[in-house]
Amino acid sequence: GENVEQHPSTLSVQEGDSAVIKCTYSDSASNYFPWYKQELGKRPQLIIDIRSNVGEKKDQRIAVTLNKTAKHFSLHITETQPEDSAVYFCAASTWTGGYNKLIFGAGTRLAVHP
Amino acid sequence: SAVISQKPSRDICQRGTSLTIQCQVDSQVTMMFWYRQQPGQSLTLIATANQGSEATYESGFVIDKFPISRPNLTFSTLTVSNMSPEDSSIYLCSPGGGTSTDTQYFGPGTRLTVL
């Protein structure tokens, strides 16, 4: 079945630096890749997603890149701020034969230090 | 995005008992996904429910332990049966269309502690 690997598991940066989180997936048929941010005690929030017909998508300080050939995608956060501190999850869609479901990476705990 | 609510938001239960978690969506959705998030872990899909059919369970999850109801397109319940401390987790519902490009959002979650 589909497997999603996420690295690193923890990431510590100084405020203003960039942060990059990488994920690889196994199902070559996957075509939808969302990223979620989960703050302590809260539900995962969708922050950006990308579909397989594009290679990059940007939303203000957040960008996601997708390399379908290599089966990996990455989240880039520029000019990090303390409020970016959270756990980030990548996910990839996989077809079950009846519907699509998301498979999640293990998560990256990002700490942004002032 | 749809407004998703869950009840209860949290509960503390004794081992051996059962808890039913409700998920309400303010619009009709085809699929309802139920996830478990163990402390400090990622999201694991328990099962997927479509109205009018039995839920489809992921490997490691069985209907006797996690029965699901889906009486209509806006509502679903997940029951955690015969609970043990290992069931202490956050349970989240997530409505979706089941297509490859559907955006999935999560309910606020139910934080369950089993003593």
Side-chain angles (χ1 to χ4, degrees):
Chain A
E2 170 76 291
N3 183 51
V4 177
E5 294 191 359
Q6 183 172 346
H7 299 280
S9 57
T10 61
L11 182 58
S12 182
V13 300
Q14 290 297 123
E15 183 176 0
D17 288 350
S18 295
V20 181
I21 302 170
K22 298 181 179 180
C23 290
T24 60
Y25 60 98
S26 59
D27 184 357
S28 57
S30 293
N31 59 3
Y32 175 61
F33 308 91
W35 285 87
Y36 292 87
K37 174 185 180 182
Q38 188 174 32
E39 297 175 279
L40 190 64
K42 297 189 177 180
R43 76 184 86 182
Q45 295 276 9
L46 179 72
I47 56 172
I48 195 167
D49 56 11
I50 192 167
R51 292 174 169 81
S52 61
N53 57 342
V54 298
E56 184 174 358
K57 183 178 179 180
K58 192 172 182 179
D59 182 4
Q60 299 182 342
R61 296 186 297 109
I62 294 174
V64 56
T65 58
L66 171 64
N67 183 327
K68 284 222 75 180
T69 302
K71 291 191 283 188
H72 66 70
F73 56 112
S74 301
L75 178 71
H76 305 252
I77 305 174
T78 58
E79 301 173 28
T80 54
Q81 302 167 2
E83 50 266 38
D84 294 329
S85 297
V87 179
Y88 291 81
F89 295 99
C90 64
S93 68
T94 191
W95 176 248
T96 67
Y99 53 88
N100 273 274
K101 63 182 181 182
L102 293 178
I103 304 299
F104 285 82
T108 296
R109 184 173 299 277
L110 173 64
V112 181
H113 301 285
Chain B
S1 62
V3 176
I4 311 164
S5 60
Q6 281 186 240
K7 290 181 182 179
S9 58
R10 59 177 61 226
D11 208 342
I12 300 173
C13 302
Q14 297 297 319
R15 70 170 66 210
T17 63
S18 298
L19 176 72
T20 295
I21 301 166
Q22 299 178 6
C23 179
Q24 180 77 53
V25 188
D26 70 345
S27 59
Q28 294 185 339
V29 292
T30 307
M31 315 293 295
M32 187 69 77
F33 300 91
W34 284 98
Y35 289 86
R36 180 177 74 181
Q37 188 174 30
Q38 295 177 299
Q41 302 296 312
S42 183
L43 296 105
T44 301
L45 183 63
I46 298 171
T48 305
N50 198 353
Q51 189 206 7
S53 61
E54 281 202 5
T56 301
Y57 288 82
E58 298 297 306
S59 176
F61 297 96
V62 295
I63 187 171
D64 289 346
K65 176 68 175 177
F66 297 102
I68 288 173
S69 79
R70 186 85 204 277
N72 58 55
L73 292 176
T74 64
F75 185 79
S76 180
T77 68
L78 169 76
T79 298
V80 186
S81 303
N82 189 24
M83 290 184 283
S84 66
E86 293 71 37
D87 294 320
S88 297
S89 294
I90 299 172
Y91 293 86
L92 302 114
C93 63
S94 177
T99 68
S100 63
T101 54
D102 274 337
T103 304
Q104 267 188 249
Y105 299 96
F106 288 90
T110 296
R111 183 180 294 272
L112 171 62
T113 302
V114 184
L115 302 177

